[in-house]
Each structure stands twice: as C-alpha cells, then as structure tokens.
C-alpha cells in the first residue's frame, strides 16, 4: 500500500455508503464529539478543565507535604531551593512538551531515546502537564486543532482519489494523439 492508500493512524475506511472515507480519530475524554461539537462536548471540555485544575492543585498540595518533610529533616536551604527549582523547571518543560503534543505529532522515528529521557521530566513536572491540559481545554478539546487538520487533509485526499476514479477510464481522451500501427 502506498502512503496515499494508507489511512492515517487511528482511522479506518469503513467502506459503507454512510461511512465512505476516513473516520475521525477519537480524542481522550471526548471520543469523536469534537467533530461536530455534539454529544456533551461543552460539558466534557468543562469537566476536563475543572478536573485538570483540581488534579494540579492536589499535586501542589502533595509537593507541599514533601517540602515540609525536607524542612523537618533540616536538610538546609540549599537543598530546599534545589528541589523547588527542579520541580519548577520540570513543570515548565512538561507544560511545553504537552502543549507541543497538542499542536503536532511527536517527532521523528529516531526520537525514541529522547522521548524515553523526557518521560522522567514529565513525571516530575506533572503539574505543568496538567496545567497545559487546563489551558488548552479553555479554548478547545486538547489536541482538537491537530486532529481537525489531519482529518480535513485525509478527507481531501480521499475526495481527490475518489474523483480521479469516477467515470470510464477507457473513455478518457489522451493528451497525445495515437499513431496508427504499421501493418506491413
């Protein structure tokens, strides 16, 4: 199968008359309600916003307890500053990485090692990732713009392929006139 014939990741051509062409890829927590903004889309967006903000607040409380544990252990101000700075940097990096994931697909196939090393940053900076979900859900479903662009491109490719196949190919006129064969 060529790239033109392969459906984009997560989509399948159903082949039926009502499902002719590529199908939208579901988004976590939203399914395919993002296509027409139906099926409780607004409530789901509000739920994702509230849920991610509540989880970020709960995570901040847990981190505060951990910081109090460091104060009780009397490790000194340098370690306290180092821990707070480390969590702040990891949260900022996790925010940026999560936000980029809403805009474009993850990197090239060779980026596997970079993704593996970034997982620990995402784990440490989970508050930044949750805040990215919160901020994005105020505007749209997280990842909706990316999925909508991919879905529109897939539909356009499908329409182009389908348009070139219609009609009788034998009845089409060629651009160059055919020469008669010599029958000598």
């Amino acid at each position: 199968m060529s790239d033109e014939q392969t459906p984009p990741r997560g989509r399948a051509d159903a082949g039926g008359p009502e499902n002719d062409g590529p199908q939208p890829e579901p988004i976590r927590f939203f399914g395919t309600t993002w296509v027409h903004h139906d099926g409780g889309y607004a409530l789901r967006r509000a739920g994702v916003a509230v849920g991610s903000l509540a989880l970020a607040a709960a995570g901040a409380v847990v981190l505060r307890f951990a910081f109090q544990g460091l104060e009780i252990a009397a490790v000194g101000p340098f370690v306290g500053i180092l821990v707070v700075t480390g969590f702040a940097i990891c949260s900022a990096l996790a925010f940026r990485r999560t936000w980029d994931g809403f805009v474009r697909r993850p990197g090239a196939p060779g980026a596997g090692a970079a993704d593996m090393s970034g997982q620990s940053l995402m784990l440490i900076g989970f508050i930044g990732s949750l805040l990215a979900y919160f901020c994005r859900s105020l505007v749209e479903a997280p990842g909706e713009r990316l999925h909508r662009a991919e879905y529109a491109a897939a539909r356009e490719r499908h329409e182009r392929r389908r348009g070139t196949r219609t009609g009788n190919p034998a009845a089409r006129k060629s651009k160059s006139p055919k020469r008669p064969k010599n029958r000598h």
Side-chain angles (χ1 to χ4, degrees):
M1 262 178 136
S2 71
D3 289 338
E4 289 289 319
Q5 295 170 338
T6 305
R9 190 177 77 167
R11 297 186 187 111
D13 288 354
E18 66 280 347
N19 292 329
D20 192 25
Q23 300 300 310
E25 183 176 346
I27 297 176
R28 182 183 302 159
F29 306 121
F30 293 91
T32 57
T33 61
W34 60 269
V35 177
H36 300 292
H37 293 182
D38 59 354
Y41 172 80
L43 287 174
R44 290 176 191 220
R45 260 188 49 203
V48 167
V50 169
S52 60
L53 190 59
L55 286 173
V61 168
V62 169
L63 288 178
R64 177 65 184 144
F65 287 143
F67 189 73
Q68 284 178 344
L70 289 175
E71 287 177 349
I72 291 171
V75 292
F78 176 73
V79 173
I81 291 171
L82 192 63
V83 167
V84 169
T85 304
F87 272 105
I89 290 172
C90 288
S91 290
L93 291 173
F95 181 93
R96 180 64 182 178
R97 183 172 257 196
T98 304
W99 192 268
D100 284 344
F102 297 146
V103 178
R104 62 184 154 286
R105 291 279 179 194
D115 288 342
M116 293 299 288
S117 68
Q119 286 180 352
S120 60
L121 289 175
M122 296 287 284
L123 184 64
I124 294 169
F126 67 97
I127 292 177
S129 185
L130 290 169
L131 290 176
Y133 257 90
F134 169 73
C135 292
R136 195 58 162 194
S137 63
L138 293 176
V139 178
E140 66 182 5
E144 179 180 345
R145 185 174 300 155
L146 172 67
H147 285 78
R148 192 170 296 283
E150 289 176 348
Y151 180 57
R155 299 273 314 161
E156 181 182 329
R157 279 192 311 270
H158 174 74
E159 290 301 320
R160 271 196 319 243
R161 283 193 318 265
R162 186 173 172 198
T164 58
R165 289 192 309 232
T166 59
N168 183 359
R172 293 185 190 148
K173 296 190 178 204
S174 64
K175 294 181 181 181
S176 61
K178 292 185 178 182
R179 289 193 261 172
K181 293 183 180 180
N182 291 337
R183 298 186 184 231
H184 290 53

